[in-house]
Amino acid sequence: MLVTLIIACEIAFWVLLALGLSLRYLARMPRAGAAVLLCEPFLELVLLAVTAIDLKDGAAPDWKHGLAAVYIGFTVTHGHYLIRWADGHFAHRFAGGPPPVKPPRHGMARAVHEWKMTGRAVLAAAIAAGLLQAAVWFVDDPGQSTSLRAWQAKMGIVAVVSVIVALSYTVWPKQPSGDADRDAGAPVRERAGGRLR
């Protein structure tokens, strides 16, 4: 049941996102669109409540409860980022908005971007680990908490790997490769007249 609910929450996330942005930009109903987008956090609350009820009813903690905690953690920290990303693309495609700003590709700007993403990943792992710890205390049976502890260990690995990736971009910043990358920010000139386009 929990796996089905997690899948349903993921589908509902994208459906609400598409509906909210369609109302905002296609139907020209920004308030209605914002109201739909504000419904997104309720999906995590529903999943959290159902998971707690499942454990309260005596279900043995297993990988499904761990997956629910991880899903909630990452949705809480990455949900707004995904909504903002989709909003930028939707506005550009359907409402004449400016092209979405792409993440930087090189140098310290890329490192800063990676550290921001790492912050989200670490916070997501911490939220998931906290929810898992709450479940361990709720179950109060070390023999039944093995799966939950295993998920906590996985969240520790996620946090460490994320920090290593960001650190690698800081210590060895990615450099432009070739003239195309170096000239990417320069004005494009007409071949014949040399005028700016």
Side-chain angles (χ1 to χ4, degrees), residues 98-116:
V101 178
K102 294 182 179 180
R105 297 175 57 194
H106 308 112
M108 291 310 296
R110 175 62 184 267
V112 169
H113 171 75
E114 292 298 329
W115 279 110
K116 289 179 180 178

mmCIF file with all atom_site columns, all heavy atoms in Angstrom, residues 98-116:
data_model
loop_
_atom_site.group_PDB
_atom_site.id
_atom_site.type_symbol
_atom_site.label_atom_id
_atom_site.label_alt_id
_atom_site.label_comp_id
_atom_site.label_asym_id
_atom_site.label_entity_id
_atom_site.label_seq_id
_atom_site.pdbx_PDB_ins_code
_atom_site.Cartn_x
_atom_site.Cartn_y
_atom_site.Cartn_z
_atom_site.occupancy
_atom_site.B_iso_or_equiv
_atom_site.pdbx_formal_charge
_atom_site.auth_seq_id
_atom_site.auth_comp_id
_atom_site.auth_asym_id
_atom_site.auth_atom_id
_atom_site.pdbx_PDB_model_num
ATOM 1   N N   . PRO A 1 98  ? 11.435 35.307 -20.269 1.00 0.00 ? 98  PRO A N   1
ATOM 2   C CA  . PRO A 1 98  ? 12.838 35.172 -20.677 1.00 0.00 ? 98  PRO A CA  1
ATOM 3   C C   . PRO A 1 98  ? 13.268 33.713 -20.635 1.00 0.00 ? 98  PRO A C   1
ATOM 4   O O   . PRO A 1 98  ? 12.686 32.907 -19.902 1.00 0.00 ? 98  PRO A O   1
ATOM 5   C CB  . PRO A 1 98  ? 13.587 36.001 -19.623 1.00 0.00 ? 98  PRO A CB  1
ATOM 6   C CG  . PRO A 1 98  ? 12.696 35.983 -18.432 1.00 0.00 ? 98  PRO A CG  1
ATOM 7   C CD  . PRO A 1 98  ? 11.292 35.971 -18.967 1.00 0.00 ? 98  PRO A CD  1
ATOM 8   N N   . PRO A 1 99  ? 14.291 33.360 -21.400 1.00 0.00 ? 99  PRO A N   1
ATOM 9   C CA  . PRO A 1 99  ? 14.795 31.983 -21.347 1.00 0.00 ? 99  PRO A CA  1
ATOM 10  C C   . PRO A 1 99  ? 15.259 31.651 -19.936 1.00 0.00 ? 99  PRO A C   1
ATOM 11  O O   . PRO A 1 99  ? 15.851 32.493 -19.253 1.00 0.00 ? 99  PRO A O   1
ATOM 12  C CB  . PRO A 1 99  ? 15.974 31.993 -22.326 1.00 0.00 ? 99  PRO A CB  1
ATOM 13  C CG  . PRO A 1 99  ? 15.740 33.180 -23.205 1.00 0.00 ? 99  PRO A CG  1
ATOM 14  C CD  . PRO A 1 99  ? 15.014 34.183 -22.362 1.00 0.00 ? 99  PRO A CD  1
ATOM 15  N N   . PRO A 1 100 ? 14.993 30.435 -19.475 1.00 0.00 ? 100 PRO A N   1
ATOM 16  C CA  . PRO A 1 100 ? 15.442 30.054 -18.132 1.00 0.00 ? 100 PRO A CA  1
ATOM 17  C C   . PRO A 1 100 ? 16.960 30.139 -18.014 1.00 0.00 ? 100 PRO A C   1
ATOM 18  O O   . PRO A 1 100 ? 17.680 29.822 -18.967 1.00 0.00 ? 100 PRO A O   1
ATOM 19  C CB  . PRO A 1 100 ? 14.963 28.600 -17.993 1.00 0.00 ? 100 PRO A CB  1
ATOM 20  C CG  . PRO A 1 100 ? 13.901 28.444 -19.025 1.00 0.00 ? 100 PRO A CG  1
ATOM 21  C CD  . PRO A 1 100 ? 14.264 29.367 -20.147 1.00 0.00 ? 100 PRO A CD  1
ATOM 22  N N   . VAL A 1 101 ? 17.422 30.579 -16.873 1.00 0.00 ? 101 VAL A N   1
ATOM 23  C CA  . VAL A 1 101 ? 18.863 30.674 -16.636 1.00 0.00 ? 101 VAL A CA  1
ATOM 24  C C   . VAL A 1 101 ? 19.407 29.273 -16.365 1.00 0.00 ? 101 VAL A C   1
ATOM 25  O O   . VAL A 1 101 ? 18.918 28.564 -15.479 1.00 0.00 ? 101 VAL A O   1
ATOM 26  C CB  . VAL A 1 101 ? 19.158 31.597 -15.435 1.00 0.00 ? 101 VAL A CB  1
ATOM 27  C CG1 . VAL A 1 101 ? 20.657 31.647 -15.164 1.00 0.00 ? 101 VAL A CG1 1
ATOM 28  C CG2 . VAL A 1 101 ? 18.614 32.991 -15.697 1.00 0.00 ? 101 VAL A CG2 1
ATOM 29  N N   . LYS A 1 102 ? 20.399 28.889 -17.155 1.00 0.00 ? 102 LYS A N   1
ATOM 30  C CA  . LYS A 1 102 ? 21.000 27.571 -16.972 1.00 0.00 ? 102 LYS A CA  1
ATOM 31  C C   . LYS A 1 102 ? 22.029 27.624 -15.858 1.00 0.00 ? 102 LYS A C   1
ATOM 32  O O   . LYS A 1 102 ? 22.664 28.662 -15.633 1.00 0.00 ? 102 LYS A O   1
ATOM 33  C CB  . LYS A 1 102 ? 21.657 27.111 -18.271 1.00 0.00 ? 102 LYS A CB  1
ATOM 34  C CG  . LYS A 1 102 ? 20.672 26.861 -19.405 1.00 0.00 ? 102 LYS A CG  1
ATOM 35  C CD  . LYS A 1 102 ? 21.402 26.369 -20.638 1.00 0.00 ? 102 LYS A CD  1
ATOM 36  C CE  . LYS A 1 102 ? 20.415 26.094 -21.766 1.00 0.00 ? 102 LYS A CE  1
ATOM 37  N NZ  . LYS A 1 102 ? 21.095 25.620 -22.992 1.00 0.00 ? 102 LYS A NZ  1
ATOM 38  N N   . PRO A 1 103 ? 22.219 26.516 -15.156 1.00 0.00 ? 103 PRO A N   1
ATOM 39  C CA  . PRO A 1 103 ? 23.262 26.495 -14.121 1.00 0.00 ? 103 PRO A CA  1
ATOM 40  C C   . PRO A 1 103 ? 24.620 26.766 -14.740 1.00 0.00 ? 103 PRO A C   1
ATOM 41  O O   . PRO A 1 103 ? 24.879 26.393 -15.890 1.00 0.00 ? 103 PRO A O   1
ATOM 42  C CB  . PRO A 1 103 ? 23.192 25.056 -13.574 1.00 0.00 ? 103 PRO A CB  1
ATOM 43  C CG  . PRO A 1 103 ? 21.842 24.563 -13.948 1.00 0.00 ? 103 PRO A CG  1
ATOM 44  C CD  . PRO A 1 103 ? 21.495 25.242 -15.238 1.00 0.00 ? 103 PRO A CD  1
ATOM 45  N N   . PRO A 1 104 ? 25.499 27.440 -14.016 1.00 0.00 ? 104 PRO A N   1
ATOM 46  C CA  . PRO A 1 104 ? 26.843 27.699 -14.557 1.00 0.00 ? 104 PRO A CA  1
ATOM 47  C C   . PRO A 1 104 ? 27.578 26.388 -14.828 1.00 0.00 ? 104 PRO A C   1
ATOM 48  O O   . PRO A 1 104 ? 27.368 25.386 -14.142 1.00 0.00 ? 104 PRO A O   1
ATOM 49  C CB  . PRO A 1 104 ? 27.522 28.507 -13.444 1.00 0.00 ? 104 PRO A CB  1
ATOM 50  C CG  . PRO A 1 104 ? 26.714 28.270 -12.226 1.00 0.00 ? 104 PRO A CG  1
ATOM 51  C CD  . PRO A 1 104 ? 25.324 27.960 -12.672 1.00 0.00 ? 104 PRO A CD  1
ATOM 52  N N   . ARG A 1 105 ? 28.440 26.423 -15.833 1.00 0.00 ? 105 ARG A N   1
ATOM 53  C CA  . ARG A 1 105 ? 29.128 25.201 -16.242 1.00 0.00 ? 105 ARG A CA  1
ATOM 54  C C   . ARG A 1 105 ? 30.568 25.132 -15.762 1.00 0.00 ? 105 ARG A C   1
ATOM 55  O O   . ARG A 1 105 ? 31.142 24.046 -15.718 1.00 0.00 ? 105 ARG A O   1
ATOM 56  C CB  . ARG A 1 105 ? 29.095 25.085 -17.769 1.00 0.00 ? 105 ARG A CB  1
ATOM 57  C CG  . ARG A 1 105 ? 27.700 24.953 -18.330 1.00 0.00 ? 105 ARG A CG  1
ATOM 58  C CD  . ARG A 1 105 ? 27.715 24.970 -19.849 1.00 0.00 ? 105 ARG A CD  1
ATOM 59  N NE  . ARG A 1 105 ? 28.559 23.918 -20.374 1.00 0.00 ? 105 ARG A NE  1
ATOM 60  C CZ  . ARG A 1 105 ? 28.961 23.862 -21.641 1.00 0.00 ? 105 ARG A CZ  1
ATOM 61  N NH1 . ARG A 1 105 ? 28.614 24.815 -22.489 1.00 0.00 ? 105 ARG A NH1 1
ATOM 62  N NH2 . ARG A 1 105 ? 29.727 22.866 -22.054 1.00 0.00 ? 105 ARG A NH2 1
ATOM 63  N N   . HIS A 1 106 ? 31.161 26.279 -15.455 1.00 0.00 ? 106 HIS A N   1
ATOM 64  C CA  . HIS A 1 106 ? 32.598 26.285 -15.190 1.00 0.00 ? 106 HIS A CA  1
ATOM 65  C C   . HIS A 1 106 ? 32.949 27.122 -13.966 1.00 0.00 ? 106 HIS A C   1
ATOM 66  O O   . HIS A 1 106 ? 32.161 27.939 -13.512 1.00 0.00 ? 106 HIS A O   1
ATOM 67  C CB  . HIS A 1 106 ? 33.358 26.849 -16.402 1.00 0.00 ? 106 HIS A CB  1
ATOM 68  C CG  . HIS A 1 106 ? 33.000 26.195 -17.692 1.00 0.00 ? 106 HIS A CG  1
ATOM 69  N ND1 . HIS A 1 106 ? 32.326 26.849 -18.684 1.00 0.00 ? 106 HIS A ND1 1
ATOM 70  C CD2 . HIS A 1 106 ? 33.201 24.933 -18.135 1.00 0.00 ? 106 HIS A CD2 1
ATOM 71  C CE1 . HIS A 1 106 ? 32.134 26.032 -19.707 1.00 0.00 ? 106 HIS A CE1 1
ATOM 72  N NE2 . HIS A 1 106 ? 32.648 24.859 -19.406 1.00 0.00 ? 106 HIS A NE2 1
ATOM 73  N N   . GLY A 1 107 ? 34.173 26.912 -13.498 1.00 0.00 ? 107 GLY A N   1
ATOM 74  C CA  . GLY A 1 107 ? 34.772 27.753 -12.473 1.00 0.00 ? 107 GLY A CA  1
ATOM 75  C C   . GLY A 1 107 ? 34.075 27.693 -11.122 1.00 0.00 ? 107 GLY A C   1
ATOM 76  O O   . GLY A 1 107 ? 33.351 26.760 -10.795 1.00 0.00 ? 107 GLY A O   1
ATOM 77  N N   . MET A 1 108 ? 34.320 28.741 -10.336 1.00 0.00 ? 108 MET A N   1
ATOM 78  C CA  . MET A 1 108 ? 33.776 28.786 -8.987  1.00 0.00 ? 108 MET A CA  1
ATOM 79  C C   . MET A 1 108 ? 32.266 28.964 -8.984  1.00 0.00 ? 108 MET A C   1
ATOM 80  O O   . MET A 1 108 ? 31.603 28.565 -8.032  1.00 0.00 ? 108 MET A O   1
ATOM 81  C CB  . MET A 1 108 ? 34.449 29.909 -8.192  1.00 0.00 ? 108 MET A CB  1
ATOM 82  C CG  . MET A 1 108 ? 35.911 29.636 -7.867  1.00 0.00 ? 108 MET A CG  1
ATOM 83  S SD  . MET A 1 108 ? 36.192 28.001 -7.119  1.00 0.00 ? 108 MET A SD  1
ATOM 84  C CE  . MET A 1 108 ? 35.295 28.175 -5.582  1.00 0.00 ? 108 MET A CE  1
ATOM 85  N N   . ALA A 1 109 ? 31.724 29.558 -10.049 1.00 0.00 ? 109 ALA A N   1
ATOM 86  C CA  . ALA A 1 109 ? 30.267 29.676 -10.127 1.00 0.00 ? 109 ALA A CA  1
ATOM 87  C C   . ALA A 1 109 ? 29.635 28.286 -10.135 1.00 0.00 ? 109 ALA A C   1
ATOM 88  O O   . ALA A 1 109 ? 28.604 28.057 -9.496  1.00 0.00 ? 109 ALA A O   1
ATOM 89  C CB  . ALA A 1 109 ? 29.862 30.461 -11.372 1.00 0.00 ? 109 ALA A CB  1
ATOM 90  N N   . ARG A 1 110 ? 30.248 27.349 -10.858 1.00 0.00 ? 110 ARG A N   1
ATOM 91  C CA  . ARG A 1 110 ? 29.754 25.974 -10.872 1.00 0.00 ? 110 ARG A CA  1
ATOM 92  C C   . ARG A 1 110 ? 29.906 25.335 -9.488  1.00 0.00 ? 110 ARG A C   1
ATOM 93  O O   . ARG A 1 110 ? 29.024 24.609 -9.025  1.00 0.00 ? 110 ARG A O   1
ATOM 94  C CB  . ARG A 1 110 ? 30.509 25.161 -11.929 1.00 0.00 ? 110 ARG A CB  1
ATOM 95  C CG  . ARG A 1 110 ? 30.161 23.675 -11.960 1.00 0.00 ? 110 ARG A CG  1
ATOM 96  C CD  . ARG A 1 110 ? 28.695 23.434 -12.303 1.00 0.00 ? 110 ARG A CD  1
ATOM 97  N NE  . ARG A 1 110 ? 28.339 22.039 -12.253 1.00 0.00 ? 110 ARG A NE  1
ATOM 98  C CZ  . ARG A 1 110 ? 28.359 21.217 -13.303 1.00 0.00 ? 110 ARG A CZ  1
ATOM 99  N NH1 . ARG A 1 110 ? 28.744 21.677 -14.486 1.00 0.00 ? 110 ARG A NH1 1
ATOM 100 N NH2 . ARG A 1 110 ? 28.015 19.960 -13.180 1.00 0.00 ? 110 ARG A NH2 1
ATOM 101 N N   . ALA A 1 111 ? 31.020 25.622 -8.833  1.00 0.00 ? 111 ALA A N   1
ATOM 102 C CA  . ALA A 1 111 ? 31.239 25.085 -7.492  1.00 0.00 ? 111 ALA A CA  1
ATOM 103 C C   . ALA A 1 111 ? 30.175 25.576 -6.521  1.00 0.00 ? 111 ALA A C   1
ATOM 104 O O   . ALA A 1 111 ? 29.640 24.805 -5.714  1.00 0.00 ? 111 ALA A O   1
ATOM 105 C CB  . ALA A 1 111 ? 32.637 25.455 -6.993  1.00 0.00 ? 111 ALA A CB  1
ATOM 106 N N   . VAL A 1 112 ? 29.847 26.871 -6.603  1.00 0.00 ? 112 VAL A N   1
ATOM 107 C CA  . VAL A 1 112 ? 28.804 27.432 -5.735  1.00 0.00 ? 112 VAL A CA  1
ATOM 108 C C   . VAL A 1 112 ? 27.469 26.738 -6.000  1.00 0.00 ? 112 VAL A C   1
ATOM 109 O O   . VAL A 1 112 ? 26.731 26.385 -5.069  1.00 0.00 ? 112 VAL A O   1
ATOM 110 C CB  . VAL A 1 112 ? 28.683 28.950 -5.944  1.00 0.00 ? 112 VAL A CB  1
ATOM 111 C CG1 . VAL A 1 112 ? 27.445 29.504 -5.252  1.00 0.00 ? 112 VAL A CG1 1
ATOM 112 C CG2 . VAL A 1 112 ? 29.935 29.654 -5.433  1.00 0.00 ? 112 VAL A CG2 1
ATOM 113 N N   . HIS A 1 113 ? 27.165 26.527 -7.276  1.00 0.00 ? 113 HIS A N   1
ATOM 114 C CA  . HIS A 1 113 ? 25.924 25.823 -7.638  1.00 0.00 ? 113 HIS A CA  1
ATOM 115 C C   . HIS A 1 113 ? 25.917 24.424 -7.042  1.00 0.00 ? 113 HIS A C   1
ATOM 116 O O   . HIS A 1 113 ? 24.890 23.965 -6.496  1.00 0.00 ? 113 HIS A O   1
ATOM 117 C CB  . HIS A 1 113 ? 25.785 25.758 -9.164  1.00 0.00 ? 113 HIS A CB  1
ATOM 118 C CG  . HIS A 1 113 ? 24.670 24.878 -9.623  1.00 0.00 ? 113 HIS A CG  1
ATOM 119 N ND1 . HIS A 1 113 ? 23.341 25.253 -9.541  1.00 0.00 ? 113 HIS A ND1 1
ATOM 120 C CD2 . HIS A 1 113 ? 24.674 23.628 -10.155 1.00 0.00 ? 113 HIS A CD2 1
ATOM 121 C CE1 . HIS A 1 113 ? 22.581 24.277 -10.005 1.00 0.00 ? 113 HIS A CE1 1
ATOM 122 N NE2 . HIS A 1 113 ? 23.356 23.279 -10.383 1.00 0.00 ? 113 HIS A NE2 1
ATOM 123 N N   . GLU A 1 114 ? 27.032 23.722 -7.144  1.00 0.00 ? 114 GLU A N   1
ATOM 124 C CA  . GLU A 1 114 ? 27.109 22.355 -6.602  1.00 0.00 ? 114 GLU A CA  1
ATOM 125 C C   . GLU A 1 114 ? 26.948 22.348 -5.091  1.00 0.00 ? 114 GLU A C   1
ATOM 126 O O   . GLU A 1 114 ? 26.319 21.443 -4.533  1.00 0.00 ? 114 GLU A O   1
ATOM 127 C CB  . GLU A 1 114 ? 28.438 21.704 -7.002  1.00 0.00 ? 114 GLU A CB  1
ATOM 128 C CG  . GLU A 1 114 ? 28.578 21.424 -8.486  1.00 0.00 ? 114 GLU A CG  1
ATOM 129 C CD  . GLU A 1 114 ? 27.538 20.449 -9.006  1.00 0.00 ? 114 GLU A CD  1
ATOM 130 O OE1 . GLU A 1 114 ? 27.099 19.571 -8.237  1.00 0.00 ? 114 GLU A OE1 1
ATOM 131 O OE2 . GLU A 1 114 ? 27.158 20.554 -10.182 1.00 0.00 ? 114 GLU A OE2 1
ATOM 132 N N   . TRP A 1 115 ? 27.487 23.360 -4.406  1.00 0.00 ? 115 TRP A N   1
ATOM 133 C CA  . TRP A 1 115 ? 27.326 23.428 -2.958  1.00 0.00 ? 115 TRP A CA  1
ATOM 134 C C   . TRP A 1 115 ? 25.867 23.687 -2.572  1.00 0.00 ? 115 TRP A C   1
ATOM 135 O O   . TRP A 1 115 ? 25.375 23.167 -1.567  1.00 0.00 ? 115 TRP A O   1
ATOM 136 C CB  . TRP A 1 115 ? 28.245 24.491 -2.344  1.00 0.00 ? 115 TRP A CB  1
ATOM 137 C CG  . TRP A 1 115 ? 29.649 23.993 -2.150  1.00 0.00 ? 115 TRP A CG  1
ATOM 138 C CD1 . TRP A 1 115 ? 30.766 24.370 -2.834  1.00 0.00 ? 115 TRP A CD1 1
ATOM 139 C CD2 . TRP A 1 115 ? 30.080 23.002 -1.200  1.00 0.00 ? 115 TRP A CD2 1
ATOM 140 N NE1 . TRP A 1 115 ? 31.859 23.679 -2.379  1.00 0.00 ? 115 TRP A NE1 1
ATOM 141 C CE2 . TRP A 1 115 ? 31.465 22.838 -1.370  1.00 0.00 ? 115 TRP A CE2 1
ATOM 142 C CE3 . TRP A 1 115 ? 29.429 22.244 -0.231  1.00 0.00 ? 115 TRP A CE3 1
ATOM 143 C CZ2 . TRP A 1 115 ? 32.224 21.938 -0.607  1.00 0.00 ? 115 TRP A CZ2 1
ATOM 144 C CZ3 . TRP A 1 115 ? 30.176 21.351 0.535   1.00 0.00 ? 115 TRP A CZ3 1
ATOM 145 C CH2 . TRP A 1 115 ? 31.545 21.205 0.350   1.00 0.00 ? 115 TRP A CH2 1
ATOM 146 N N   . LYS A 1 116 ? 25.169 24.478 -3.381  1.00 0.00 ? 116 LYS A N   1
ATOM 147 C CA  . LYS A 1 116 ? 23.747 24.699 -3.113  1.00 0.00 ? 116 LYS A CA  1
ATOM 148 C C   . LYS A 1 116 ? 22.960 23.405 -3.272  1.00 0.00 ? 116 LYS A C   1
ATOM 149 O O   . LYS A 1 116 ? 22.081 23.087 -2.448  1.00 0.00 ? 116 LYS A O   1
ATOM 150 C CB  . LYS A 1 116 ? 23.191 25.772 -4.056  1.00 0.00 ? 116 LYS A CB  1
ATOM 151 C CG  . LYS A 1 116 ? 23.675 27.171 -3.743  1.00 0.00 ? 116 LYS A CG  1
ATOM 152 C CD  . LYS A 1 116 ? 23.121 28.184 -4.727  1.00 0.00 ? 116 LYS A CD  1
ATOM 153 C CE  . LYS A 1 116 ? 23.609 29.597 -4.429  1.00 0.00 ? 116 LYS A CE  1
ATOM 154 N NZ  . LYS A 1 116 ? 23.100 30.574 -5.414  1.00 0.00 ? 116 LYS A NZ  1
#
